[in-house]
Amino acid sequence: MTGMGVEVGVQSARSRALAVLHVRSRALAVALLPAAFAVILLAGGSTGHLVGRGWDLARWVVGVVAVVVLLAAAGIGLVVARARPAMSPTVPIPEESAPDLYRLVRDLADRLDVPAPSAIAVTPDCDSWLEDRTHPAHGPPPQAHGHHADAGRGRDDPYGLRGLASARPRRTAAAPVLVIGSPFLWWMRVGELRAVLAPVVAGTGPSAHPDIAAARRFVRGLDAAVAVTSAPGRSPLAGPVCAGVGWVARLLLRGCREYAAEMERGVAAAAAERAQAVDYGLRIVAQEQVGLAYAGWDRLLTRVALPAWRMGRWPSRLDAGVVAALTELSRRDRLAEGFASRLGERPACDLLEEPGVVDEATSLLAARLFHGGPAEHGPDWSPVDWNEYPEEVVDRKWRTDAARLHRVLDTLGVRRSPNPPASDPHGPTLARVLDHLAAQPHTPTAAAPQAATTLAPPPPAHPARYQAASPAEDPESTPPDAERTAHADSTRDAEPTTRDTEPTSAAEHAPDSDRTPATSHASGAGHASDTGHTPDTGGTPDTDRTPATGHASDTAPGEDGDLANERSAVLAAGLSAELAREEAAAPEPKTAPPGAGAAGQIPGALPLWDEGSLPLLPLQPPRTGRDLLADHVTAMVCCAAMDTAGATPGLDWLDGPSLLINGERAVDLGAKVRALIEEGDPVPLRTWLVDSGIRPEKPVRLV
């Protein structure tokens, strides 16, 4: 039955591939039609049948039209053939650095009776797929030598990362590249990784079919042509030409889109059916780990990595952090108690000779894709180890936010505390913030003019902030689904993913399922759903919002984050304006020149993506003024706790920066801060400060 199902799936995919090729054939026929009419008219004139002034004029008109159409068709075909198809940003894994991993994949391909992938690469994503990198624009294939050569399997161009060569080689028949999500390698055990990769590797069989391969090349060429013709900066003369080529390419794409989608579904169904015979029972368990890794990676990026990226630091061991985060989740969640016992089995990262090097390269690539950081180390972009994270990132983040809060208060004309300490009469204090945000009945005093100045609204924030804000400011939200789909279309068209279509049973174990995950493009495996368990994050900044939107957790649907407290609203607007000014003044990140060996590339390679489009997958849309104010007030409370009560910054693997008082994590701080900024009620926060031994009237150290 399995063989019958595989054959049916392949035949269905082949019929759809032929439909795609028919679109190409019809387009070619339309281009040749004027030339055919011209040939008929010329033949008729030479034989004496079509003679006369009218037929002579028709021959000239049709001949000119035929020449113009043929030249246009040749130009469009040249653009489609030479346009560089989109490639997913990855870190190549040479065979000498992972012989065990290559051996596992080849054994899996032999068992499935399909060609083995030509190479392996990893990407900072919770997904795995096949990607064709045999297009001539991806560069000439390297010479096979030693154990890299694999007769009969076409191990050409294993990395697909070389630039355009002076002499364009002919297209090779190499198998696609296997791209593996790096979180899978670190969290999964060897057997689980094998089970997850089985349906993906099985997709190399249908990929080798000539009709399916030709249809995919045609669709990828059209997609690349659309991208090329849509690039800005064209000259006035080339602009109309590119617009015409792009219009034709889009027209052809619309004509074959439905057939191509059905072809890919047939390929995926055939691959999943073929993989049923390989580790079927283990695959069900492995899919649970896919969902768990998916949730842990998402939390790690948005809660832990993003604050560091904003501070000019990038965690150099993100994949190792996934293991710590998921282990912590297993400890907290009663439904995940059995997962901790898996840690005694051999992890899949042991299949790599130097997992630390791969983890560092993948971490830098993740920072570029999700934040837009530079491609190389530098004084303003340096790695940070996990043991240095609290001091290097958390402490600096809080003090930077607190300093910005006091700068805005100074701009608004808010006075210092009426009874400042004698030791530092001008030092910034938490009491200043509490007194300003507390809603008090207005009483005529000598300070009334000053209060009026305080409440005067600042200049409006930069309008572009809420249309094209930097993702570095928004730690918990994800881009719209349309943007994610556009990225998936541009990167996965190079070779569609062959995914296991079995339902994921990890839904019972993963938190924060209402969020669209930030890093996965999978349509089936890896999606986690909520269990109602959410770790208490009240003691840390940036954690009192639901991850789905980045808004405050008590914000009603449709609310834009406006604050009823007038002073809070004015202060939030001032913070938004200050952040907009800082963004405008920040220097653009330096990009590596071609051949500099950026993350995910090899020396001498051209960039895999447009450097100007980074980040490709920004993690968050703009935050509301409510969120900004809550973060800054929370940061000021944390600074006061560290300087007056001996508290220390900490790292929570699931929730990011956390405040430790007497070695224990502070809780319920977020609700008290919200009561202050939304209702003007300082009593809950002041009570918590007294109970924790924090003195708001004492100055704190800022950046």
Side-chain angles (χ1 to χ4, degrees), residues 90-122:
T90 57
V91 175
I93 305 296
E95 186 172 352
E96 60 269 16
S97 66
D100 292 342
L101 180 59
Y102 273 81
R103 190 177 303 113
L104 180 147
V105 172
R106 288 172 184 164
D107 292 344
L108 190 58
D110 290 339
R111 184 170 178 182
L112 294 169
D113 194 23
V114 296
S118 59
I120 300 175
V122 297

Side-chain angles (χ1 to χ4, degrees), residues 66 152 161 213 225 256 303 325 509 676:
L161 300 178
C256 62
R303 305 292 182 91
H509 307 290
L676 173 65

Side-chain angles (χ1 to χ4, degrees), residues 417 419-424 427-432 434-435 640 644 686 689 694-700:
S417 178
N419 298 312
S423 59
D424 188 1
T429 64
L430 175 60
R432 181 193 190 192
L434 296 175
D435 294 341
T644 67
R686 288 187 183 276
L689 295 174
I694 302 172
R695 300 181 61 184
E697 74 281 358
K698 293 186 67 66
V700 299

Side-chain angles (χ1 to χ4, degrees), residues 264-279:
E264 299 305 341
R265 281 193 288 268
V267 170
E273 185 70 22
R274 182 182 293 272
Q276 292 292 329
V278 178
D279 301 331

Side-chain angles (χ1 to χ4, degrees), residues 139-156:
Q143 296 296 328
H145 63 279
H147 61 274
H148 294 280
D150 190 354
R153 286 179 177 167
R155 296 189 178 280
D156 298 326

Side-chain angles (χ1 to χ4, degrees), residues 306-599:
L306 190 59
W309 293 339
R310 288 205 220 123
M311 305 307 299
R313 308 296 298 273
W314 53 277
S316 58
R317 295 293 185 269
L318 280 179
D319 292 301
V322 170
V323 178
L326 294 178
T327 303
E328 177 66 15
L329 178 63
S330 301
R331 184 187 66 82
R332 293 185 187 181
D333 195 337
R334 61 182 180 84
L335 297 177
E337 292 176 356
F339 290 132
S341 61
R342 301 170 50 260
L343 301 181
E345 305 174 16
R346 186 189 183 192
C349 63
D350 279 358
L351 300 173
L352 305 174
E353 291 292 315
E354 298 182 359
V357 175
V358 176
D359 194 357
E360 183 173 356
T362 307
S363 300
L364 182 55
L365 179 59
R368 302 199 67 206
L369 295 180
F370 301 115
H371 179 67
E376 295 179 327
H377 304 187
D380 298 325
W381 187 245
S382 57
V384 59
D385 293 330
W386 290 124
N387 57 353
E388 301 173 348
Y389 185 94
E391 291 295 331
E392 297 292 331
V393 176
V394 179
D395 182 86
R396 182 182 169 192
K397 166 185 164 54
W398 287 341
R399 297 189 187 278
T400 300
D401 288 352
R404 184 182 299 110
L405 177 62
H406 280 277
R407 285 199 305 271
V408 174
L409 289 174
D410 292 338
T411 303
L412 297 178
V414 178
R415 294 186 305 172
R416 302 283 181 174
S417 178
N419 298 312
S423 59
D424 188 1
H426 303 294
T429 64
L430 175 60
R432 181 193 190 192
V433 179
L434 296 175
D435 294 341
H436 175 68
L437 294 179
Q440 298 176 352
H442 177 72
T443 56
T445 63
Q450 179 66 42
T453 303
T454 300
L455 295 178
H462 197 285
R465 169 173 176 75
Y466 292 99
Q467 284 129 17
S470 169
E473 296 179 9
D474 314 301
E476 260 106 304
S477 297
T478 59
D481 291 341
E483 295 180 6
R484 192 181 317 285
T485 303
H487 168 74
D489 290 341
S490 64
T491 57
R492 301 299 162 80
D493 279 345
E495 185 74 23
T497 306
T498 305
R499 300 184 182 89
D500 198 343
T501 57
E502 297 171 8
T504 297
S505 57
E508 305 90 39
H509 307 290
D512 292 341
S513 62
D514 55 339
R515 155 184 195 135
T516 302
T519 61
S520 179
H521 313 286
S523 59
H527 288 260
S529 50
D530 202 355
T531 64
H533 172 272
T534 302
D536 192 345
T537 60
T540 61
D542 294 344
T543 57
D544 296 313
R545 298 182 293 278
T546 56
T549 62
H551 292 188
S553 58
D554 58 343
T555 301
E559 255 184 48
D560 60 359
D562 292 339
L563 293 164
N565 186 346
E566 182 180 3
R567 293 190 175 189
S568 296
V570 173
L571 185 54
L575 289 171
S576 299
E578 179 69 14
L579 279 170
R581 286 190 290 268
E582 292 179 6
E583 286 178 3
E588 293 293 332
K590 297 180 180 179
T591 57

Side-chain angles (χ1 to χ4, degrees), residues 114-369:
V114 296
S118 59
I120 300 175
V122 297
T123 186
D125 193 354
C126 286
D127 199 1
S128 296
W129 66 90
L130 296 171
E131 186 165 294
D132 185 359
R133 295 181 177 178
T134 59
H135 191 279
H138 295 156
Q143 296 296 328
H145 63 279
H147 61 274
H148 294 280
D150 190 354
R153 286 179 177 167
R155 296 189 178 280
D156 298 326
D157 191 14
Y159 309 127
L161 300 178
R162 286 170 172 76
L164 210 58
S166 56
R168 291 172 56 84
R170 65 179 180 86
R171 189 186 302 275
T172 63
V177 174
L178 174 62
V179 181
I180 304 174
S182 62
F184 294 167
L185 284 173
W186 266 259
W187 174 245
M188 289 186 174
R189 309 299 100 177
V190 173
E192 295 168 350
L193 180 67
R194 174 187 173 93
V196 167
L197 293 181
V200 183
V201 174
T204 60
S207 299
H209 195 285
D211 294 334
I212 296 176
R216 284 175 166 175
R217 287 196 299 268
F218 178 59
V219 174
R220 286 197 306 271
L222 292 176
D223 181 73
V226 170
V228 168
T229 57
S230 301
R234 302 290 183 185
S235 64
L237 181 61
V241 175
C242 291
V245 175
W247 180 82
V248 174
R250 291 185 181 91
L251 181 64
L252 294 175
L253 274 177
R254 284 195 297 269
C256 62
R257 178 182 293 123
E258 182 178 351
Y259 301 125
E262 292 178 358
M263 176 185 69
E264 299 305 341
R265 281 193 288 268
V267 170
E273 185 70 22
R274 182 182 293 272
Q276 292 292 329
V278 178
D279 301 331
Y280 177 77
L282 184 59
R283 192 182 310 123
I284 298 176
V285 178
Q287 288 301 322
E288 297 179 354
Q289 305 309 316
V290 169
L292 200 61
Y294 186 84
W297 179 250
D298 188 48
R299 292 286 288 264
L300 187 75
L301 289 181
T302 56
R303 305 292 182 91
V304 179
L306 190 59
W309 293 339
R310 288 205 220 123
M311 305 307 299
R313 308 296 298 273
W314 53 277
S316 58
R317 295 293 185 269
L318 280 179
D319 292 301
V322 170
V323 178
L326 294 178
T327 303
E328 177 66 15
L329 178 63
S330 301
R331 184 187 66 82
R332 293 185 187 181
D333 195 337
R334 61 182 180 84
L335 297 177
E337 292 176 356
F339 290 132
S341 61
R342 301 170 50 260
L343 301 181
E345 305 174 16
R346 186 189 183 192
C349 63
D350 279 358
L351 300 173
L352 305 174
E353 291 292 315
E354 298 182 359
V357 175
V358 176
D359 194 357
E360 183 173 356
T362 307
S363 300
L364 182 55
L365 179 59
R368 302 199 67 206
L369 295 180

